Amino acid sequence: AATDESGTLSPFHFSRRENGDEDVTLKILYCGVCHPDLHNLTNEWGFTSYPVVPGHEIVGVTTKVGKNVTKFKVGDRVGVGVMVGSCKTCECCQQDLENYCSQIIFTYNSHNPDGTKNYGGYSDMIVVDQRYVLRFPDSLPLDAGAPLLCAGITVYSPMKYYGMTEAGKHLGVAGLGGLGHVAVKIAKAFGLKVTVISTSPQKESEAVNRLGADAFLASSDTAKMKSAIGSMDYIIDTVSAVHPLFPLLSLLKVNGKLVTLGLPNKPLELPVFPLVSGRKLVGGSDFGGMKETQEMLDFCAKHNIAADIELIRIDEINSAMERLARSDVRYRFVIDVANSLSAVGVVDTSAPLKKSCVLYYTSSVLGESIKQIRALRTRSISEVERPSRHNTA
Ligand code: NAP
């Protein structure tokens, strides 16, 4: 857990609830390291409740099921994503949009109706209501498939909802990180032409040759940005930091759509001229409901889509967070929970199943170095030149 805004993770022992009639208990095998984990650890959004145990890209096997559980049996491969509860009765819940329920219970940094606190997947087991557990298709790799539980659904859902799946249309993906690289793969499976828009020119060859993008635009390359003005039907913006929208909106054709998914801690400025002059649309989207998340997993299994990952041990997590802050990951860290948590002797295997714990690597300056890294990255994007208004449609 992290216990303060330094964000440094260190050992933390806690208990999960007993498995109830509707519950499924998972032995956690792998957990992805998503950027919200970093936002939460360092309290960037201002509502972290410490201690916080992150992790909402959880893959494991069921070790126990309650007597009312019909969807799963012991030994199944399953996944848990961003939420573990909602009211189940509101309009959103009834329309399979539990992710927009006003009483949503997030997998971590949240509380249950009885006041108990939720801890995430950087731990050895978790107990979850069956409604919020997903079947994890046999053909998906357990480790590289884990990031689909947040990154995958977060890019899949807006593509479907905003009608961004028509084969042959041109999609820009801004930010080539965990979300962005999965967006490239899913978009290619839909038959879209994909251009990556990135602040990291060194990612070009991987984007095109490994991930299958059709083109790459370095946002610092003013000439190329200008020549791409008005060329894209849609943009999915996954940038995790404050950044100018003007250059991105300028890349859209008339009637183009930009969906923002990134969650920086300060508001983005919305320039209205390129919007109005091209009848463009800006929207947002927040991961996805359970039904659609299952649909996405099945879609990815069918199209052999998984994340490109760097598998880490739990004791490498703090240095991984520093690398994540500087966008130095290809393209998602995944923690090998089962093999590294017990290997370092922190899990008390003689303890009852409800015992769970999380582990660490020591770096007392983590929070400070992340702040410094953030400041440097912010400078680099603000140097991007703003194309002129008359070129935007
Ligand atoms: P990530 O792996 O860190 O990728 C973010 C990418 O943004 C980086 O790889 C980098 O791409 C770009 N970037 C980072 N800092 C930047 C800066 N200062 N200026 C410009 N570009 C910068 O993060 P992620 O896990 O994909 O998450 C991306 C964002 O989505 C985060 O804010 C996260 O909280 C949010 N999120 C939202 C939802 C949702 O439901 N809406 C779900 C999950 C995550 P380049 O190097 O290519 O420029």
Side-chain angles (χ1 to χ4, degrees), residues 35 39 176 178-179 198-200 203 261 263 285-287 332:
H35 207 107
H39 291 306
L176 193 64
L179 266 57
S198 171
T199 59
S200 309
K203 292 181 181 172
L261 302 176
L263 294 164
S285 187
D286 206 9
F287 59 104
R332 190 60 120 203

Side-chain angles (χ1 to χ4, degrees), residues 135-188:
R135 272 183 298 102
F136 203 76
D138 285 342
S139 63
L140 277 181
L142 292 164
D143 51 1
L148 298 174
L149 293 158
C150 177
I153 185 58
T154 301
V155 298
Y156 180 88
S157 183
M159 283 189 215
K160 295 293 293 271
Y161 176 73
Y162 287 102
M164 299 160 76
T165 58
E166 199 183 326
K169 295 281 190 184
H170 187 182
L171 172 77
V173 174
L176 193 64
L179 266 57
H181 92 289
V182 176
V184 172
K185 295 184 184 195
I186 290 178
K188 287 312 296 175

Side-chain angles (χ1 to χ4, degrees), residues 222-345:
T222 315
K224 276 196 176 168
M225 286 292 281
K226 271 193 178 150
S227 66
I229 282 172
S231 66
M232 297 179 190
D233 297 285
Y234 330 116
I235 292 176
I236 283 197
D237 181 354
T238 74
V239 174
S240 55
V242 174
H243 60 288
L245 288 180
F246 197 103
L248 296 180
L249 289 170
S250 303
L251 295 173
L252 288 173
K253 295 178 183 171
V254 170
N255 295 332
K257 301 171 191 173
L258 179 144
V259 180
T260 56
L261 302 176
L263 294 164
N265 61 350
K266 294 206 176 76
L268 300 182
E269 187 185 321
L270 183 64
V272 290
F273 275 101
L275 263 192
V276 170
S277 59
R279 201 168 64 174
K280 296 167 190 173
L281 184 84
V282 174
S285 187
D286 206 9
F287 59 104
M290 298 313 300
K291 187 174 171 202
E292 194 175 42
T293 305
Q294 189 65 60
E295 175 189 309
M296 175 278 309
L297 285 176
D298 296 340
F299 177 91
C300 288
K302 184 173 163 200
H303 294 276
N304 294 319
I305 295 171
D308 284 30
I309 63 163
E310 292 189 43
L311 196 62
I312 58 164
R313 297 169 45 84
I314 193 95
D315 57 351
E316 295 169 324
I317 186 63
N318 285 324
S319 45
M321 287 295 177
E322 286 191 9
R323 286 185 51 202
L324 182 62
R326 66 171 89 93
S327 308
D328 173 25
V329 47
R330 300 295 191 274
Y331 279 89
R332 190 60 120 203
F333 290 115
V334 171
I335 307 169
D336 186 354
V337 175
N339 286 320
S340 58
L341 206 56
S342 54
V344 289

Side-chain angles (χ1 to χ4, degrees), residues 27-68:
K27 172 181 161 59
I28 297 175
L29 300 177
Y30 297 100
C31 186
V33 179
C34 191
H35 207 107
D37 298 352
L38 183 55
H39 291 306
N40 270 300
L41 282 177
T42 51
N43 196 21
E44 275 179 57
W45 293 330
F47 50 78
T48 301
S49 159
Y50 294 102
V52 62
V53 176
H56 60 203
E57 293 180 339
I58 302 166
V59 168
V61 288
T62 55
T63 54
K64 201 170 186 179
V65 296
K67 70 173 191 222
N68 296 341

